[in-house]
Amino acid sequence: MVHAVNGVSYTLEEGETLGVVGESGCGKSVHVLSAMRLIPDPPGRIEAGEVWFDGRDLLKVSEAEMRHVRGAEIAMVFQDPMTSLNPVLTVGFQIVEALKLHLGMDDKTARGRAGDLLAMVGIPEARMRLDDYPHQFSGGMRQRAMLAMALSCNPKLLIADEPTTALDVTIQAQIVDLVKRLRERLGMAVVWITHDLGVVAGLAQNVIVMYAGYIVEQGNVRDIYARPRHPYTLGLLRSLPRLDEAPGTKLISIPGLPPDLLVLPPGCPFAPRCSYAADMCVEAVPSLEEADGENHWVACFRWGHIAGRKQ
């Protein structure tokens, strides 16, 4: 049995953007799919926990109520817009369908709203593009169309699951800037899942670092980037090129590979790759504890050594 996510817990405030970072396979996507109850059962299942949203535990509401929550109150944008959009239906039809289902609009009103949404996300000649199919849109435009669909019902929370991974750098920057402007305009909260630490730095207020299904560090973006206290976070940041380093400076990679979740090692899952590991690290799994200051938490027995203090 694979425990893809273990004890992930956090609070998201209205209007806040939370970044979730980590290597592929660390549980970033699975934890939000679990919150949305989109994990197919079988083979997967949620064994324990609570997901409180707007006064309700989403794990206990009926499937009919959950269908209303998805799209109307919590919207999700997936990694590959080409596989998320139905290739045999027009983009306009797919947006109109959500508006009619969740807001009860008639065809004419929903179509007008769909055109407005495509224009809002920066698609030129938006109303003329409603009858186009997904393959007639570029990758960046498809992702914009997915954002328009996600925002169609004015959700309180937008979950973006690596939405810019398949796009070139210029389009990535445009999508990130678009989400920032829409967040400010609509007042929604955002969970942005990515392996790109640079995107998180410019978009989120708080960040969660995940490894092997666990949260290993969480807190304010500026604090964690300036003073990382978990060796995994430190390794991620050291592997990024920096403008303030001398030309020719080599990037430092993290040795080894992520663990096999089928056979997790005893103790801290990062211990086999960690240069700070001690005997205690292979004997027990560290729990999150407050590090240097308010709202900075780390799951590491040796974070004091990283901070330059004995522990």
Side-chain angles (χ1 to χ4, degrees):
M1 180 184 296
V2 173
H3 293 276
V5 176
N6 296 279
V8 171
S9 179
Y10 58 84
T11 300
L12 187 66
E13 302 293 340
E14 183 177 346
E16 176 189 344
T17 298
L18 173 72
V20 183
V21 301
E23 290 172 283
S24 297
C26 71
K28 305 187 301 295
S29 299
V30 171
H31 100 270
V32 291
L33 290 172
S34 300
M36 295 280 280
R37 281 172 52 180
L38 291 174
I39 297 291
D41 182 6
R45 70 174 183 267
I46 301 169
E47 292 195 329
E50 299 173 329
V51 180
W52 286 95
F53 177 78
D54 204 18
R56 294 163 292 173
D57 182 358
L58 298 184
L59 300 186
K60 294 181 179 178
V61 302
S62 67
E63 183 57 36
E65 187 174 354
M66 196 64 209
R67 282 197 297 269
H68 172 76
V69 170
R70 298 187 199 109
E73 299 181 57
I74 304 176
M76 192 163 179
V77 178
F78 296 93
Q79 181 171 346
D80 185 358
M82 196 59 202
T83 57
S84 302
L85 292 166
N86 191 322
V88 300
L89 299 175
T90 65
V91 170
F93 179 89
Q94 295 180 66
I95 300 175
V96 165
E97 185 179 35
L99 292 168
K100 292 168 66 176
L101 175 65
H102 291 297
L103 301 183
M105 292 183 176
D106 57 41
D107 287 326
K108 182 178 180 181
T109 305
R111 187 173 173 85
R113 168 71 171 158
D116 293 340
L117 287 163
L118 288 184
M120 181 178 70
V121 297
I123 293 181
E125 300 179 332
R127 294 185 185 277
M128 296 177 62
R129 303 304 303 269
L130 288 173
D131 294 322
D132 286 350
Y133 289 86
H135 73 270
Q136 295 174 281
F137 282 59
S138 67
M141 289 178 68
R142 283 195 294 266
Q143 200 59 284
R144 289 171 185 266
M146 283 296 300
L147 273 172
M149 193 182 305
L151 300 175
S152 60
C153 301
N154 296 320
K156 298 176 182 177
L157 170 62
L158 173 68
I159 299 173
D161 186 6
E162 303 200 38
T164 60
T165 297
L167 307 177
D168 63 59
V169 176
T170 304
I171 304 301
Q172 282 185 35
Q174 292 176 5
I175 296 294
V176 170
D177 183 62
L178 173 63
V179 170
K180 289 171 68 174
R181 287 189 283 110
L182 292 175
R183 179 197 67 199
E184 294 168 0
R185 177 177 170 180
L186 302 175
M188 62 186 175
V190 178
V191 174
W192 189 280
I193 297 170
T194 183
H195 55 260
D196 189 335
L197 293 168
V199 169
V200 171
L203 179 66
Q205 291 90 43
N206 294 302
V207 63
I208 284 172
V209 182
M210 292 189 66
Y211 186 80
Y214 293 91
I215 293 178
V216 296
E217 191 163 8
Q218 69 182 83
N220 178 269
V221 167
R222 290 180 179 272
D223 190 30
I224 287 181
Y225 278 46
R227 299 181 298 164
R229 293 298 179 244
H230 195 281
Y232 179 60
T233 311
L234 186 64
L236 290 177
L237 292 171
R238 282 177 172 174
S239 68
L240 291 175
R242 297 173 60 101
L243 293 176
D244 57 356
E245 289 181 336
T249 300
K250 290 185 177 181
L251 300 180
I252 303 173
S253 63
I254 302 174
L257 295 171
D260 183 350
L261 297 184
L262 280 170
V263 283
L264 275 175
C268 174
F270 188 66
R273 306 173 70 186
C274 181
S275 60
Y276 293 89
D279 291 343
M280 69 182 83
C281 301
V282 297
E283 296 170 356
V285 178
S287 57
L288 282 169
E289 61 176 277
E290 196 166 14
D292 293 311
E294 185 179 353
N295 197 34
H296 189 160
W297 298 79
V298 60
C300 179
F301 295 121
R302 307 265 289 171
W303 69 264
H305 285 73
I306 299 172
R309 302 196 299 269
K310 289 185 178 181
Q311 187 176 7

